[in-house]
Amino acid sequence: MARESEFLALDDRALRAVTGPNSRHVALIEDAFKVLVEAPGGGVSINGSARDRGPARRVIEALAKRAEKGAEVTEADVRAIMGTIRGGGVSADPMALPVGKRGAIVPKTNAQARYLEILARCELSFGVGPAGTGKTFLAAAYGASLLRRGQVDRLVITRPAVEAGEKLGFLPGDLNEKVDPYLAPIWEALNDILGPEDVQRRRDKGEIEAAPIAFMRGRTLSHAFIIVDEAQNTSRLQMKMVLTRLGEGARMVVTGDPSQVDLLNPRDSGLAHALRILRDVKGVGVQEFEAQDVVRHAMVERIVRAYDADAAHGRPRPDLEERPAR
């Protein structure tokens, strides 16, 4: 098959995003699509067969769009976009959240793009799927963007402290010190999005609040964005209780992985039950992530696929007892 060349004009920012540190991004594209990518100045040239150049060009164009939105482009972005395009999908032109301290936050996969659209459209959103798909990070980013724009008065984060059980009161320190270890993923995400100083300032002012699920009882959360994290470890009663905390001007997102239930009775998981009965309720949106949506590390995707394959061989999956049909 004849090998030809085509040239894509790029500005300096897009060109840096496409080539990557030490041309690492280019190397990944070349290896995936069997093309030669060069940067002679003012853009890149793609050398290869027409069949190979097409997907390579779409990857480069998607990376350039991310750069144009002000987003940082990482190796994980390159791998995610390549996975979408090699799988026959189309890399969407997603919305950007201008809150990241290292630049705008832009979804890495089409599933993440749909997730952000659901967060923007629905009063109650669910983001469910395996670890590393960005469901918690994007929820925190979206909530932070609403807080910065003044569209909500506060960001409320809650999570079941399953490991602590009834012993939470015996842990040292005040409520924040007791709960913080269980909310480490959220704090890491917010520190990355807003910066540690801004996060601490907003916590001191009460604009960002964290509490275990048990402390939500009896409250009405108005004009707030609420994140219910690790929701697979809520009981059915806890899930009903926290979902009914929604007050005027509030929005909520529930995140979790139905395959990682830590409850003594996995069939009592409130997440699978809520998905089953609320999926078609007006104002509710659900985004299910799969192994191919993992953006944390290439190895994480392989781990998730291995566990999924093991489950497919007939080994028991109690977490799926209540999982809704696809």
Side-chain angles (χ1 to χ4, degrees):
M1 191 173 294
R3 295 178 65 86
E4 299 177 355
S5 175
E6 61 180 292
F7 182 79
L8 292 177
L10 301 173
D11 61 27
D12 289 344
R13 184 188 185 98
L15 184 59
R16 288 194 300 271
V18 168
T19 55
N22 300 316
S23 298
R24 176 60 181 161
H25 298 172
V26 163
L28 290 172
I29 295 169
E30 290 178 332
D31 184 59
F33 301 107
K34 310 307 177 188
V35 295
L36 175 65
V37 180
E38 298 176 308
V44 296
S45 64
I46 310 170
N47 302 282
S49 67
R51 183 186 64 188
D52 295 331
R53 291 198 317 270
R57 181 183 67 253
R58 291 196 289 274
V59 170
I60 290 171
E61 289 171 342
L63 293 174
K65 283 183 180 179
R66 287 185 62 86
E68 289 168 3
K69 291 178 179 290
E72 180 186 25
V73 176
T74 67
E75 186 174 321
D77 298 318
V78 180
R79 292 185 184 279
I81 291 171
M82 288 195 308
T84 297
I85 290 175
R86 293 181 76 179
V90 177
S91 185
D93 186 13
M95 64 186 291
L97 300 175
V99 293
K101 64 178 183 178
R102 291 198 298 267
I105 294 172
V106 180
K108 300 178 187 295
T109 67
N110 287 345
Q112 287 191 351
R114 291 192 297 270
Y115 184 41
L116 277 188
E117 291 170 1
I118 288 171
L119 290 175
R121 186 178 73 248
C122 300
E123 289 89 357
L124 174 60
S125 307
F126 288 85
V128 295
T133 50
K135 54 190 182 293
T136 298
F137 180 85
L138 285 178
Y142 188 77
S145 72
L146 294 181
L147 189 61
R148 272 196 170 177
R149 295 198 300 266
Q151 293 181 259
V152 295
D153 295 336
R154 55 187 167 147
L155 179 59
V156 179
I157 306 146
T158 188
R159 179 180 182 180
V162 169
E163 297 84 357
E166 296 301 322
K167 298 179 181 178
L168 188 66
F170 294 97
L171 295 177
D174 61 17
L175 178 60
N176 284 333
E177 291 170 323
K178 294 175 191 290
V179 175
D180 276 2
Y182 299 96
L183 294 170
I186 293 283
W187 296 132
E188 290 171 4
L190 287 173
N191 287 340
D192 194 45
I193 294 162
L194 298 173
E197 298 81 7
D198 193 21
V199 170
Q200 188 58 54
R201 180 178 62 82
R202 291 179 184 274
R203 291 187 72 178
D204 293 341
K205 293 171 61 180
E207 293 181 3
I208 298 178
E209 175 190 349
I213 291 276
F215 285 73
M216 294 292 106
R217 188 174 300 278
R219 301 181 62 185
T220 300
L221 302 173
S222 301
H223 305 291
F225 186 78
I226 305 130
I227 300 174
V228 184
D229 193 35
E230 296 291 339
Q232 76 276 2
N233 287 330
T234 61
S235 68
R236 296 189 185 193
L237 289 175
Q238 285 177 322
M239 179 61 77
K240 179 182 178 182
M241 180 272 289
V242 76
L243 292 178
T244 54
R245 298 308 92 199
L246 278 168
E248 182 182 356
R251 308 169 79 94
M252 181 181 290
V253 57
V254 179
T255 66
D257 180 357
S259 72
Q260 294 189 17
V261 178
D262 298 318
L263 299 172
L264 292 177
N265 179 8
R267 295 186 181 185
D268 191 39
S269 174
L271 178 59
H273 180 249
L275 287 169
R276 180 168 62 82
I277 67 174
L278 298 176
R279 182 178 292 269
D280 297 323
V281 171
K282 182 180 179 181
V284 174
V286 178
Q287 177 60 49
E288 295 189 46
F289 295 92
E290 306 292 345
Q292 63 264 27
D293 300 312
V294 172
V295 296
R296 182 173 293 168
H297 190 288
M299 190 65 200
V300 176
E301 178 183 353
R302 296 195 289 272
I303 291 169
V304 170
R305 289 188 183 278
Y307 273 90
D308 286 347
D310 182 67
H313 281 90
R315 293 166 178 81
R317 286 282 298 278
D319 59 284
L320 294 183
E321 290 290 330
E322 292 283 346
R323 192 165 185 178
R326 292 181 61 82

